[in-house]
Structure formats: C-alpha cells, structure tokens
Amino acid sequence: MSKKSRKKSSKTPSGSPTAKKKAPKTRATTQTSPAKIQRASAGKSSKTTAKAASHEAPSKRLKSSEKASKPKAGSAPALAEGQKAPGFRLPRDGGSVVTLADYAGQKLVLFFYPRADTPGCTREAIDFTRLKDAFTAAGTTALGISADPLKVQEKFRDKHGLGIPLISDETHEMLEAYGAWGEKSMYGKNFLGIIRTTVLVGTDGKVAKVWRNVRVDGHADEVLAAARSL
C-alpha cells in the first residue's frame, strides 16, 4: 500500500474535526428541549391562572355590592300608636321577674335608656323617681329598661337612690320589639345600640304614645302630663 493510501484511510469520519463539533451540538439540542417544554408549560399555566383570577375578581365585587344593597340589620321596627304593646318577661333589680301581664288594666310607662350610670341616663332615672308618686296618683307605673346586667342595674339604683324598677334586657328582645334598638351614629361611626325611647301603654294594653330620640330635660314631666290625659 502506498503512503498516500495509508494517510487517507487513517482520517476516518469519527476522527475528523467536523464530527467532533457535531457531537456536542447534538447533546446540547437534546438537553435544551425539556427546558423549552418546561418554559412553555409554565407560560401556559401562568396564563391559565391569570385568566382564572380575572374571572374571580368580578364575582367578589358583585358579592360586596349585593351586601351593600341589602337593608341594614338591626334597624328598629316601627311601633305605631294604637298597636297592641308587645309582651315581655324579663328580670328586674332585686331578682324578681316582670311581665307585661303584671300591669294589665293599668297605665304603664316604659323608658328605654342606653346605659346605666351615664350622665343623661342618670338624670332621666332621677326625674322619673322624683315623679313616682305623681305617676302612682295618675294610675301609672314607670319602668326603666336597658341592656345592662342586673348587677349593674342594682349598683345604679343604689348609687342614686332610684325608686323606679329597672329591667335588664341583655338579649335585646324587648328593646327590638319596642323599636328601641337600632343603628346609631357617633363621631362619624355607625353602630347598633339603644335608642333613647319612651312608650306609654294605656289601660287597654295598646300603645298610647311613643317618644323617640328623647331629650332628657323635662321629658319625665311631659310623659306624666300625657299619662294624666289618658
């Protein structure tokens, strides 16, 4: 064999520079393919998530707008004059129980106050105590009602020497029935609480007169005058 033939046969395709360069390219191609697939799938999942979020957002806003359109809970129902007085059975200071039936055939004053031993409520309770004998002479009994526990009511009574029975309505059932529980506003904030209210019930068991958002000064005297006129 000639020297030229031996040189040509020694340069096989596997040993050629071109073959060496192609092998790395083939490996690189096989390695990058899964990465491209992962990036593509990640892009699809992010698009799917974005679409899902865009569909959820309007439903949340819709729910909030629906809640806003609903009437406010806890608003005081109207108690009309001439309506039969709602019945009640609640504890009073001293531990006994008071019911509407206890005063059948009598005139009854129910004054609802927000909180025991606060300035306005104290003045109101003292005024009704001052006029207790005058109410009795007019065939009328006055009862004070708030949501305070009995212990608080009794402390309130003892501190100010009150002579009016004080009823505890912690469940708000009577307060709501007589329209004395509802939305109030103070310092720009709305909240549910006791609306200072007085109800005069006649001997027939029907509501004779209702005072709402009561101003304390002179109120007890006004109620006494109304009771005398029945």
Side-chain angles (χ1 to χ4, degrees):
M1 184 180 293
S2 65
K3 291 181 179 180
K4 290 182 180 180
S5 300
R6 285 199 299 272
K7 287 180 181 179
K8 287 182 180 179
S9 61
S10 63
K11 293 181 181 179
T12 58
S14 59
S16 65
T18 306
K20 289 180 181 178
K21 289 181 181 178
K22 286 182 179 179
K25 285 184 179 179
T26 305
R27 288 195 297 272
T29 303
T30 56
Q31 288 173 357
T32 54
S33 296
K36 287 181 179 179
I37 294 170
Q38 288 176 357
R39 285 197 296 271
S41 61
K44 288 180 180 180
S45 62
S46 62
K47 287 180 181 179
T48 305
T49 305
K51 287 181 180 180
S54 65
H55 285 299
E56 287 175 2
S59 64
K60 289 181 181 179
R61 288 195 293 272
L62 181 61
K63 287 179 182 178
S64 62
S65 63
E66 285 175 353
K67 288 180 181 178
S69 64
K70 289 181 181 180
K72 295 178 180 178
S75 56
L79 185 70
E81 295 179 2
Q83 178 182 338
K84 187 174 178 60
F88 59 87
R89 180 183 177 84
L90 290 168
R92 58 157 288 186
D93 61 309
S96 59
V97 175
V98 177
T99 69
L100 179 64
D102 295 338
Y103 302 96
Q106 303 177 40
K107 288 177 281 186
L108 181 64
V109 170
L110 303 169
F111 67 95
F112 301 89
Y113 56 94
R115 189 175 180 181
D117 208 21
T118 53
C121 299
T122 300
R123 293 203 316 273
E124 185 177 21
I126 288 174
D127 283 347
F128 275 105
T129 296
R130 173 176 56 82
L131 296 173
K132 181 180 178 180
D133 292 340
F135 275 108
T136 300
T140 308
T141 301
L143 304 176
I145 305 98
S146 76
D148 296 296
L150 281 180
K151 289 183 178 180
V152 176
Q153 299 281 41
E154 291 170 352
K155 185 178 179 180
F156 181 40
R157 174 201 64 195
D158 296 341
K159 181 178 179 180
H160 300 285
L162 304 177
I164 300 294
L166 302 178
I167 297 175
S168 175
D169 182 18
E170 294 185 79
T171 63
H172 309 156
E173 289 183 7
M174 182 184 182
L175 292 166
E176 291 180 9
Y178 279 83
W181 179 264
E183 186 174 292
K184 302 174 69 174
S185 179
M186 183 178 290
Y187 304 118
K189 294 183 179 180
N190 295 330
F191 60 96
L192 293 176
I194 298 175
I195 301 169
R196 196 183 300 277
T197 305
T198 299
V199 177
L200 174 61
V201 181
T203 55
D204 57 358
K206 295 181 180 180
V207 176
K209 191 170 180 59
V210 180
W211 292 264
R212 296 195 185 281
N213 299 307
V214 169
R215 292 175 179 263
V216 172
D217 294 338
H219 175 63
D221 296 274
E222 183 182 354
V223 175
L224 175 60
R228 284 171 171 168
S229 67
L230 287 182

